[in-house]
Amino acid sequence: MNLVSWNARGLGNPSAFRFLRLLISEQAPCVLFLMETKLQAGSINKFRNSLHFPNGIEVPRTGLGGGLMLILKSKADVVINNFSPNHIDCFIEYQDLSSFHFTGFYGHPNSSQRVLTWTLLRRCYDIAPTHPWLVLGDFNEILTHEDKVGGPPRNNGQIQAFQTTIDYCHLAAAAYEGELITWTNKSQGLGNVKERLDYGFFNDFWSESSEKPIIQHLNFYHSNHRALKLMVSMAGVQQIEPSYKSQFRFEKIWLNNQDCLDIIFKNWVSNTLNAISQTMSNLQSCATHLQSWHHHKYGNMKQDIKEAHKHVEGL
């Protein structure tokens, strides 16, 4: 099962929506938690229909900021416990994966109000303290001073409040793959600040084996936050995606899907210094990502056609 969390920093314009489609086409999440959508109430219907996620819940923006959305594929069953502008808490059951407690979390951007979100997280823990629990999101806080590069030092009291809450909830930070930093203010020179604000946590009941979930720090997708990705199996263990190395063929059916254009746009890089080498690299990158996307979107097409033929023959 593939879960993705992303602070999108607004999804109201076509460009932002295009990058969201690209994220989905590349990572194929079963569960997608979005923060800072900055969308009005009722926006979820458009997103569910366009992105083919039949299930979901939204928390509209407050003023011109905030906004959360949790959308799920049809194979995932969800029971909502509670929600607020800073979290969506639920139980999720997916195929052979046992039911688990999931919290999509968004720490308050105002440091003076962040203590209120720590209280929210504690209350989520109290709902099912002995149930497997996974927490993903943007906490707007760092766990240690090593999680910050540039800018003035973070207040020790703020960090300690975060640590104390995590300890109270018996959560452990998942190991990560990729760059440490998940957020940047995008400033240049000495004004540049980078921090790890996005985390995945799990409790002791998440896995009884020695293996632990691993978070992948993905691209920014035009936001100032990286997306987070977690794949889990029945025992709560990281699941490795298969690689596909068949001969590349461009399929005509792709021309009818906007995802194809998005993938090419993302993976085609211009470099006038070494045009031939860059072109070869671009072709390889596009081929790899298009094959992976094709497998996730059309991988069962042949089987579906066979089953349809059997059904017709049986009539």
Side-chain angles (χ1 to χ4, degrees):
M1 182 181 185
N2 190 348
L3 302 97
V4 170
S5 166
W6 185 43
N7 184 327
R9 297 287 293 173
L11 291 171
N13 63 74
S15 175
F17 188 73
R18 179 160 53 86
F19 279 101
L20 174 60
R21 290 175 63 95
L22 179 62
L23 169 63
I24 293 173
S25 67
E26 289 186 342
Q27 308 304 331
C30 298
V31 176
L32 177 62
F33 175 61
L34 299 168
M35 296 154 285
E36 289 197 45
T37 63
K38 301 183 181 180
L39 298 173
Q40 297 178 345
S43 301
I44 191 171
N45 292 329
K46 169 190 173 183
F47 280 75
R48 288 189 307 184
N49 294 334
S50 299
L51 302 174
H52 307 293
F53 282 76
N55 304 318
I57 179 175
E58 66 178 343
V59 180
R61 70 189 188 191
T62 302
L64 297 177
L68 307 177
M69 189 178 294
L70 178 69
I71 53 178
L72 307 94
K73 289 293 188 181
S74 59
K75 296 180 180 180
D77 295 325
V78 60
V79 176
I80 302 296
N81 297 322
N82 50 60
F83 56 88
S84 76
N86 297 100
H87 85 298
I88 297 178
D89 188 85
C90 61
F91 289 107
I92 296 176
E93 188 171 350
Y94 179 80
Q95 295 182 328
D96 295 332
L97 187 67
S98 299
S99 173
F100 64 92
H101 187 189
F102 174 77
T103 304
F105 192 84
Y106 175 55
H108 203 291
N110 189 329
S111 60
S112 65
Q113 301 296 312
R114 207 161 294 147
V115 63
L116 301 178
T117 52
W118 300 150
T119 300
L120 276 176
L121 191 58
R122 289 170 181 252
R123 290 177 177 173
C124 290
Y125 163 75
D126 292 335
I127 290 175
T130 60
H131 209 70
W133 187 25
L134 178 67
V135 186
L136 278 174
D138 169 18
F139 291 77
N140 267 312
E141 191 55 84
I142 58 176
L143 270 178
T144 71
H145 287 289
E146 287 70 30
D147 290 341
K148 178 180 174 66
V149 178
R154 186 65 64 95
N155 180 279
N156 284 325
Q158 292 177 211
I159 297 177
Q160 186 174 3
F162 186 18
Q163 294 173 340
T164 300
T165 301
I166 296 303
D167 291 341
Y168 174 89
C169 296
H170 299 281
L171 291 170
Y176 70 91
E177 294 179 345
E179 298 290 335
L180 168 68
I181 298 303
T182 65
W183 172 85
T184 174
N185 65 357
K186 294 188 175 181
S187 295
Q188 302 297 319
L190 297 177
N192 185 239
V193 180
K194 300 177 180 180
E195 298 175 330
R196 183 186 182 190
L197 302 178
D198 306 84
Y199 296 88
F201 294 99
F202 62 97
N203 67 356
D204 294 338
F205 297 94
W206 179 251
S207 174
E208 297 180 356
S209 69
S210 59
E211 299 289 342
K212 305 298 181 186
I214 298 178
I215 294 289
Q216 295 181 27
H217 291 178
L218 304 174
N219 294 329
F220 288 95
Y221 293 95
H222 211 61
S223 172
N224 60 358
H225 283 264
R226 293 185 184 276
L228 301 185
K229 174 184 174 182
L230 173 64
M231 295 190 68
V232 297
S233 66
M234 188 172 180
V237 180
Q238 182 193 18
Q239 183 175 316
I240 305 299
E241 288 185 289
S243 58
Y244 307 99
K245 299 183 179 180
S246 58
Q247 184 178 2
F248 176 74
R249 291 176 54 190
F250 191 93
E251 302 289 346
K252 187 176 180 180
I253 192 175
W254 296 349
L255 297 175
N256 299 322
N257 197 303
Q258 178 66 32
D259 290 347
C260 176
L261 178 61
D262 292 338
I263 292 172
I264 295 173
F265 176 82
K266 177 64 182 295
N267 292 281
W268 196 273
V269 179
S270 297
N271 183 351
T272 57
L273 295 179
N274 192 344
I276 295 178
S277 176
Q278 187 62 63
T279 299
M280 296 300 295
S281 177
N282 287 343
L283 289 172
Q284 180 61 46
S285 180
C286 288
T288 300
H289 286 88
L290 285 169
Q291 279 183 307
S292 178
W293 166 73
H294 176 86
H295 174 81
H296 289 300
K297 188 168 185 64
Y298 302 106
N300 294 324
M301 183 180 294
K302 291 183 179 179
Q303 182 62 32
D304 293 341
I305 293 174
K306 289 181 180 179
E307 292 180 358
H309 279 307
K310 289 181 180 179
H311 176 73
V312 171
E313 292 173 355
L315 294 179

